[in-house]
Amino acid sequence: MRIGSAILMGAAIPSMHYIGMMATHFSVIESVEFSAVDTAATYWMAAIIGLFTLLLLGWTLLTSFFNEQLSVQLVKTADLKENEERLKQALQNQEALATLAESRSEELEIAMLALQKAQLQFLQAEKMSSLGQIVAGVAHEINNPANFIYGNLFHTEIYLRELLELINTYQQHYPEPELAVQAKLKSIDFPFLLEDLPKLLNSMQAGAERIKHIVESLRNFSRLDEAQLKAVDIHEGLNSTLLILQNRISYPPNNRPEILVIKEYGNLPLVNCYPGQLNQVFFNILANAIDVLEKKLISLKPKSSFTPFIRIKTTINQVGWVNIQIFDNGAGISEDVQNKIYDPFFTTKPVGQGTGLGLSISYQIVVQTHGGRLNCISAKGQGTTFQIELPIDTLIHTSCFQRKQSQVVPDEAIE
């Protein structure tokens, strides 16, 4: 447009010059004579040139006006594009900031959850460690007098047997003692005393053996904070855990039936593991089983025929792996809950009765620490089985336990 305007202006200026020259020519018309035809042609030529010049000037003015409007429009368009780019950049920056804020918020939430998990795990570990220390202290305090009783019972039995032999010899040589002696023998019911005294000694011996076994189980369970990998008997860990939970198994509140313990122990070798951590796994799973059975007992009608029980089965299911199954005949676990039971802080218990870390910590101990597997097999109304699979690693020697199947009341469950 600017080039066209320049061309038009270049054509208009010579035309105006030519018209001026024609006017000059007309001013000397007195001295020059023209014919009428030449004069008319000259007028028409001047008129045409003048009209063309006016058209050129008009076109030039219009072109200049439109050029100015176009320039203004182009400037506005450029400003709009620049503003649009700025707006796009601002929106992109805002989206980036929003994404960054969301990412930081997620990171902060994950960090907070990890911190809460670490705190609760620390508290749980401290609680179990404190429990282990208390149990170890109690076992130590019981062990000293128990050893005193257990060690002296052997000599007591020998002394009493010798005294009884002395009395028997005296009766053989003096079948008719003095009246005072006969009266005393009658008052103390001497024949019953001779018959009952050996039974009394046997009962004391059995009680001392029981105390000794309890102390050994307490010591076994108190290894909660041991960090050393060692070969242990899995059955000892299970029995010691049952002993710790004996009060809840044998003496449920409100006259509810006792929980039977069915032990099906296989012929297992010693397993290289962290015994304290495995005891914690057994404790968490068995405690949950007891909670489920107690909840089911509360929901049943009085005088129900339901018999709560826990079955513990140990086998070698494949080369180099030990299988431990803990089953309870409780209400079972639905599929949607099974997908969450190992999540930290997930619990189905009322507020204040569970932290939601027991199974999560157990999963970490079995899977991450020992390289094993922990599976839950359950269905609503059909009970629950927790299956623990552990690699044996190194076979030290075969346990002396023979495979047995026994259904016992809780007092006999740890024999």
Side-chain angles (χ1 to χ4, degrees):
M1 295 295 289
R2 294 180 182 274
I3 295 174
S5 300
I7 294 173
L8 292 176
M9 291 294 293
I13 292 173
S15 300
M16 293 175 66
H17 177 70
Y18 180 76
I19 292 173
M21 291 180 64
M22 289 295 296
T24 305
H25 175 73
F26 290 149
S27 62
V28 292
I29 193 171
E30 293 88 357
S31 59
V32 183
E33 294 182 357
F34 292 94
S35 64
V37 175
D38 292 335
T39 302
T42 301
Y43 285 147
W44 280 108
M45 181 61 68
I48 291 171
I49 292 173
L51 180 60
F52 181 71
T53 300
L54 291 175
L55 290 174
L56 288 177
L57 289 174
W59 178 256
T60 301
L61 292 174
L62 289 174
T63 302
S64 177
F65 174 77
F66 284 120
N67 282 339
E68 183 178 358
Q69 294 296 322
L70 181 60
S71 299
V72 173
Q73 189 66 29
L74 290 175
V75 171
K76 291 182 178 179
T77 303
D79 291 340
L80 288 176
K81 288 184 177 180
E82 184 178 358
N83 292 334
E84 184 179 358
E85 291 295 330
R86 290 178 180 177
L87 181 60
K88 287 182 179 180
Q89 187 65 31
L91 290 175
Q92 291 177 357
N93 293 337
Q94 186 177 4
E95 291 178 357
L97 289 174
T99 303
L100 180 61
E102 184 178 358
S103 176
R104 293 292 174 84
S105 177
E106 291 178 355
E107 292 177 358
L108 181 61
E109 184 177 359
I110 293 174
M112 288 295 294
L113 290 175
L115 179 60
Q116 291 178 359
K117 178 181 177 181
Q119 289 177 340
L120 289 178
Q121 286 181 344
F122 176 75
L123 293 176
Q124 182 77 1
E126 286 296 317
K127 182 177 69 174
M128 297 303 292
S129 177
S130 300
L131 177 61
Q133 294 175 2
I134 293 173
V135 169
V138 171
H140 177 73
E141 293 299 326
I142 296 176
N143 188 54
N144 290 333
N147 283 337
F148 177 78
I149 297 173
Y150 185 77
N152 289 324
L153 278 177
F154 174 75
H155 301 288
T156 303
E157 183 178 5
I158 295 176
Y159 298 158
L160 287 176
R161 187 182 305 115
E162 291 177 350
L163 287 174
L164 292 177
E165 290 177 356
L166 175 61
I167 294 173
N168 187 33
T169 303
Y170 178 83
Q171 286 180 332
Q172 290 177 2
H173 290 81
Y174 297 96
E176 296 294 335
E178 297 292 334
L179 294 177
V181 175
Q182 294 182 13
K184 187 62 177 177
L185 291 175
K186 185 177 181 180
S187 65
I188 64 175
D189 197 357
F190 186 69
F192 173 78
L193 189 148
L194 291 177
E195 179 184 358
D196 190 60
L197 188 56
K199 297 180 181 178
L200 180 62
L201 287 174
N202 291 335
S203 298
M204 293 174 65
Q205 187 75 22
E209 291 282 353
R210 178 70 174 175
I211 294 174
K212 183 179 178 182
H213 176 74
I214 291 174
V215 170
E216 290 177 355
S217 298
L218 290 174
R219 284 180 170 178
N220 182 278
F221 185 82
S222 65
R223 299 185 297 187
L224 292 173
D225 56 350
E226 286 187 2
Q228 183 180 1
L229 188 68
K230 57 177 61 177
V232 298
D233 187 348
I234 295 295
H235 298 153
E236 289 183 358
L238 289 167
N239 290 337
S240 63
T241 305
L242 288 171
L243 177 66
I244 297 298
L245 296 169
Q246 187 71 23
N247 184 59
R248 297 186 61 189
I249 295 174
S250 301
Y251 310 105
N254 301 325
N255 296 323
R256 290 196 291 268
E258 298 179 0
I259 299 174
L260 301 181
V261 176
I262 303 173
K263 296 193 296 182
E264 300 177 4
Y265 287 172
N267 189 16
L268 300 184
L270 298 183
V271 179
N272 279 337
C273 63
Y274 298 94
Q277 295 185 19
L278 275 187
N279 286 347
Q280 185 176 355
V281 174
F282 299 151
F283 184 89
N284 290 334
I285 295 177
L286 288 171
N288 285 342
I290 295 173
D291 291 338
V292 170
L293 292 174
E294 288 180 347
K295 183 178 180 180
K296 186 170 182 178
L297 288 171
I298 294 174
S299 64
L300 294 176
K301 296 180 180 180
K303 298 181 180 180
S304 173
S305 60
F306 174 73
T307 301
F309 71 87
I310 295 174
R311 182 175 64 244
I312 305 174
K313 183 178 181 180
T314 60
T315 57
I316 299 179
N317 60 346
Q318 51 182 290
V319 178
W321 287 80
V322 167
N323 184 291
I324 306 164
Q325 296 181 3
I326 301 177
F327 170 80
D328 68 80
N329 62 337
I333 305 174
S334 62
E335 185 176 355
D336 57 337
V337 175
Q338 290 184 48
N339 297 329
K340 303 176 183 178
I341 56 176
Y342 301 123
D343 294 344
F345 312 115
F346 176 79
T347 180
T348 57
K349 298 178 182 178
V351 177
Q353 296 186 13
T355 62
L357 284 176
L359 289 179
S360 176
I361 294 175
S362 299
Y363 186 86
Q364 292 180 1
I365 292 174
V366 173
V367 177
Q368 298 179 9
T369 304
H370 291 85
R373 292 186 286 265
L374 178 60
N375 299 316
C376 176
I377 305 171
S378 180
K380 267 295 187 180
Q382 298 181 11
T384 303
T385 299
F386 277 94
Q387 181 172 281
I388 305 169
E389 295 179 280
L390 297 172
I392 298 175
D393 289 337
T394 303
L395 298 179
I396 305 301
H397 61 79
T398 303
S399 172
C400 62
F401 288 107
Q402 299 296 324
R403 179 171 180 81
K404 59 183 178 179
Q405 179 173 352
S406 58
Q407 180 169 348
V408 294
V409 296
D411 283 339
E412 301 173 349
I414 60 174
E415 291 295 332

